[in-house]
Amino acid sequence: MKQMPTEARTSAEQGNRNLVLQMNKVSKVIKGKTIVDGLTFDIRPGEIVGLLGPNGAGKTTTIRMMTGLIRMSAGDVLINGHSVRSDFLQAISYVGAIIENPEFYPHLSGLDNLKQYIRMTDNISASRLDEVVQLVGLQDAMNKKVKAYSLGMRQRLGIAQALLHSPKLLILDEPTNGLDPAGIREMREYMRRIAEVEGISILISSHMLAEIEQICHRAVVIQNGKLVKVTSISAADESATGEVELSIRVDDVKQASGIVQSMQAAKLTGAEEARSEIYVTLPDLAVPELVAALSEARIGVYRIAEHKQSLEDEFLKWTGGNQIA
Amino acid sequence: MRKFSNLIVNEWVKLAKKRSFAVPFLIVIAVSVLLGYVAHLSGGTEFNSAAGFTTVMLLPTGVGQILAMLAMIGTAGIVAREHSQGTIKFLLIRSRSRTAILASKYATVLLYSLALLTTAILSLFIIGLLWFGAAGGNAGAGDIARSVLYVAVYALLYVTLTFMLSVLTSSTGVAIGASLFAVMLDKLIIQREFYKYMLFPNLDLSVYQGGEPPLPGMTQTFSVLVLAAYMILFILAAFTVFRRRDVA
């Protein structure tokens, strides 16, 4: 899935209302240096999409352009069919966002901070405040001043802030930055719950790949401001026609390797005597054939496991590897 | 309109919930008391009524200058602090235009200055009543009103200058420093033709009451026009920059 379907592509240029977010060849040039270069991708309703890239790839710049904090040098962003360039007030009304760290007025209480944003929103129902506070579990801290909040609490208040006006798209920039493992897990829980309860699309930027892998439907990988790959995370291993990579623990590595090599469909990608394992890449359909061949040769098979390449490995492959912070 | 007044409420809440909010008001009162006390000690012949005392002391040569400085300190942070705190991001990703947001901040600053001015008028008048009495003298409400007008113009220009610096530099410190430096220098008159087109010699409109213009060829109308031109310049610069700025 290197390119988007052509269908999505043509409709993107017309401003498709069925897409929550459309990035159309968005670029940013600062002092002759291209920070973001012709970025194009879409987000569909209800989708959780990861924006992935090494530090300095242009993730935050991209998000700042989406939210109108900085101007685009070229291209346009459409949110729910409204242009950020020409119809900003409409477009932004569908967006809730946390950009970098959630910064609040430290001398105001959590409640007073949220009230600030309620006063800046049209048609907000009276119960909405309680609803989002409940969702992020900050009921008991609402009257405390924000300067007494921990980073985790501020993140949660940030989410509450972003959800107040019931947006269609939630944008989170490095949401787990600076959180401890418990905080990261908690954050992930919130994101899952929000996607479920609120039924909205979420864009998460991150350089923490494990993060994206666990909760996103798709990942958009960028490097040096350019789109490297749009990958579907959950669908990748479902394709029955695709090849699988297996690791098989056997009692006789040499003999087993010979059998694999004699098969036409299978390819031996490695063998490790020390662990008594061989690594085989073959089409899904050929797996029973291999198993039969091994047992026919009376080779003891102890384990067969799918040798899944993690997103992290792939990420390193795509981006050249040495630039992750 | 309701949207805009809500924005002003927001700004006022941010300002008023600071612990130091009352301090400038207390300073204005303290200075009024001090001035009244000193005038009272010196024999009390200088002023013979509360109105006379208020009229003179309110001018930019008296409480007026301190009042302007306090208003400027309050103004300097209103835009710059949003940047230094990082709260500007949440502020600008709402369905409100940058023009409306900045206008609400400017309106709030004017309200704040007005509150300080009202405090100064009231405290001076009450102190005046205490030490110099209600009757006597030939100063009346009209004279006080004229003083109020002079100090209001003086403070308005300085507050607008500070507001512009707050937007342009995004730094509370620089905005306070630069504008207070200007206050210190504004009494300095350079005896050159070009200088009458500068901001400083035109700021205190009360000088025309005595007859002597700061520089030859200056009139009150001339000063009002120069001040109006500077006001437009400051406001235009602030709004243009704020609307176009990339918020990093």
Side-chain angles (χ1 to χ4, degrees):
Chain A
M1 213 179 151
K2 192 157 194 167
Q3 296 272 307
M4 258 160 292
T6 39
E7 200 186 301
R9 222 154 224 278
T10 43
S11 58
E13 272 132 37
Q14 294 156 4
N16 190 336
R17 281 182 164 271
N18 293 324
L19 291 171
V20 174
L21 174 95
Q22 298 165 75
M23 297 278 292
N24 290 343
K25 304 187 185 95
V26 175
S27 297
K28 179 69 182 178
V29 181
I30 300 174
K31 287 177 189 147
K33 205 172 159 243
T34 308
I35 312 288
V36 173
D37 192 358
L39 212 52
T40 299
F41 64 87
D42 300 339
I43 297 179
R44 295 186 280 265
E47 234 185 351
I48 306 183
V49 174
L51 180 62
L52 218 63
N55 284 348
K59 298 185 297 285
T60 298
T61 307
T62 303
I63 286 178
R64 283 173 192 275
M65 284 193 283
M66 281 177 193
T67 48
L69 287 178
I70 64 177
R71 294 161 160 257
M72 290 166 250
S73 305
D76 199 357
V77 178
L78 300 182
I79 296 164
N80 226 26
H82 296 276
S83 158
V84 167
R85 243 178 214 280
S86 59
D87 193 7
F88 176 71
L89 296 188
Q90 269 293 322
I92 201 71
S93 67
Y94 299 110
V95 178
I98 305 179
I99 293 138
E100 290 186 320
N101 299 319
E103 321 270 14
F104 289 94
Y105 303 102
H107 64 291
L108 300 184
S109 69
L111 185 67
D112 280 339
N113 268 288
L114 290 185
K115 277 187 176 167
Q116 288 273 325
Y117 305 116
I118 289 177
R119 286 193 206 99
M120 297 179 85
T121 311
D122 309 317
N123 312 321
I124 206 161
S125 76
S127 57
R128 183 63 184 163
L129 176 67
D130 295 330
E131 223 171 277
V132 291
V133 170
Q134 202 98 45
L135 184 70
V136 298
L138 277 179
Q139 302 91 310
D140 301 331
M142 270 294 113
N143 291 317
K144 260 195 230 166
K145 288 197 172 170
V146 166
K147 62 181 159 205
Y149 277 30
S150 68
L151 180 60
M153 285 163 83
R154 265 187 290 151
Q155 285 281 14
R156 288 193 268 165
L157 192 63
I159 293 182
Q161 163 276 140
L163 291 177
L164 270 177
H165 51 294
S166 311
K168 294 224 185 304
L169 174 66
L170 181 63
I171 298 175
L172 303 172
D173 187 14
E174 305 273 1
T176 55
N177 241 3
L179 292 181
D180 56 21
I184 291 177
R185 176 179 289 188
E186 191 185 58
M187 190 74 192
R188 205 153 47 214
E189 271 315 301
Y190 281 124
M191 286 190 266
R192 268 211 196 98
R193 215 156 87 217
I194 290 157
E196 207 173 288
V197 175
E198 303 273 320
I200 59 179
S201 308
I202 306 181
L203 177 73
I204 305 168
S205 93
S206 184
H207 62 266
M208 302 253 304
L209 307 148
E211 203 49 68
I212 300 257
E213 200 165 23
Q214 287 186 38
I215 55 170
C216 291
H217 301 126
R218 280 196 301 149
V220 173
V221 185
I222 63 169
Q223 189 185 25
N224 298 330
K226 284 196 187 116
L227 190 73
V228 177
K229 198 176 169 75
V230 178
T231 170
S232 161
I233 293 171
S234 46
D237 42 9
E238 284 165 14
S239 49
T241 49
E243 303 224 306
V244 287
E245 196 180 344
L246 299 178
S247 69
I248 307 172
R249 187 175 289 181
V250 293
D251 53 5
D252 190 337
V253 171
K254 260 200 192 122
Q255 205 186 342
S257 300
I259 287 170
V260 171
Q261 274 161 338
S262 71
M263 280 181 67
Q264 262 194 355
K267 209 176 93 204
L268 187 74
T269 54
E272 235 178 285
E273 289 273 5
R275 301 180 62 180
S276 322
E277 274 181 2
I278 58 168
Y279 305 104
V280 188
T281 306
L282 75 174
D284 241 15
L285 295 168
V287 176
E289 196 186 327
L290 175 66
V291 174
L294 287 174
S295 44
E296 210 161 282
R298 299 205 148 272
I299 295 169
V301 176
Y302 295 90
R303 271 183 202 47
I304 301 182
E306 187 173 354
H307 187 69
K308 221 166 128 188
Q309 211 174 23
S310 76
L311 188 59
E312 197 142 352
D313 297 329
E314 289 187 51
F315 182 79
L316 289 170
K317 209 168 69 196
W318 300 324
T319 58
N322 48 2
Q323 293 185 44
I324 300 191
Chain B
M1 203 55 222
R2 194 176 152 66
K3 287 184 188 183
F4 189 67
S5 56
N6 267 337
L7 288 178
I8 295 179
V9 171
N10 270 355
E11 294 304 325
W12 191 260
V13 168
K14 286 184 241 176
L15 208 63
K17 290 226 171 175
K18 266 192 219 119
R19 225 183 307 155
S20 58
F21 181 69
V23 174
F25 294 92
L26 296 177
I27 292 176
V28 166
I29 295 170
V31 170
S32 307
V33 173
L34 194 73
L35 286 174
Y37 183 64
V38 170
H40 174 67
L41 276 191
S42 65
T45 49
E46 209 179 325
F47 306 106
N48 37 28
S49 77
F53 176 71
T54 309
T55 303
V56 173
M57 284 305 175
L58 207 52
L59 291 176
T61 42
V63 179
Q65 190 177 41
I66 289 157
L67 180 109
M69 283 159 77
L70 292 170
M72 288 154 71
I73 292 169
T75 302
I78 197 152
V79 175
R81 193 166 295 116
E82 300 273 4
H83 283 280
S84 61
Q85 281 178 166
T87 44
I88 187 89
K89 293 174 291 181
F90 283 162
L91 190 67
L92 294 184
I93 57 165
R94 309 283 143 186
S95 195
R96 296 288 180 269
S97 72
R98 289 195 184 188
T99 309
I101 288 170
L102 193 63
S104 73
K105 285 186 176 291
Y106 187 55
T108 306
V109 153
L110 295 185
L111 266 174
Y112 177 68
S113 309
L114 191 67
L116 280 170
L117 180 59
T118 312
T119 310
I121 298 168
L122 288 179
S123 59
L124 279 174
F125 195 75
I126 291 168
I127 301 294
L129 281 179
L130 240 58
W131 274 314
F132 311 108
N138 37 25
D143 297 292
I144 298 181
R146 206 173 302 126
S147 280
V148 169
L149 191 68
Y150 294 146
V151 71
V153 168
Y154 178 83
L156 176 68
L157 261 295
Y158 266 123
V159 161
T160 310
L161 171 70
T162 313
F163 186 73
M164 178 193 73
L165 289 174
S166 183
V167 174
L168 263 48
T169 64
S170 328
S171 156
T172 313
V174 174
I176 292 182
S179 54
L180 288 189
F181 189 62
V183 174
M184 279 172 55
L185 286 188
D186 73 359
K187 300 287 180 292
L188 201 80
I189 300 289
I190 300 170
Q191 294 293 337
R192 289 276 184 280
E193 172 69 12
F194 79 90
Y195 197 66
K196 67 180 184 187
Y197 298 103
M198 296 291 107
L199 177 65
F200 303 142
N202 295 292
L203 277 170
D204 189 357
L205 294 175
S206 69
V207 293
Y208 296 106
Q209 259 187 325
E212 274 285 294
L215 285 162
M218 286 172 71
T219 63
Q220 195 162 32
T221 318
F222 172 84
S223 285
V224 169
L225 287 175
V226 171
L227 291 181
Y230 274 103
M231 274 290 285
I232 294 170
L233 178 77
F234 293 162
I235 291 176
L236 230 66
F239 276 84
T240 312
V241 169
F242 190 75
R243 280 179 53 83
R244 299 185 54 88
R245 164 172 294 154
D246 276 358
V247 175

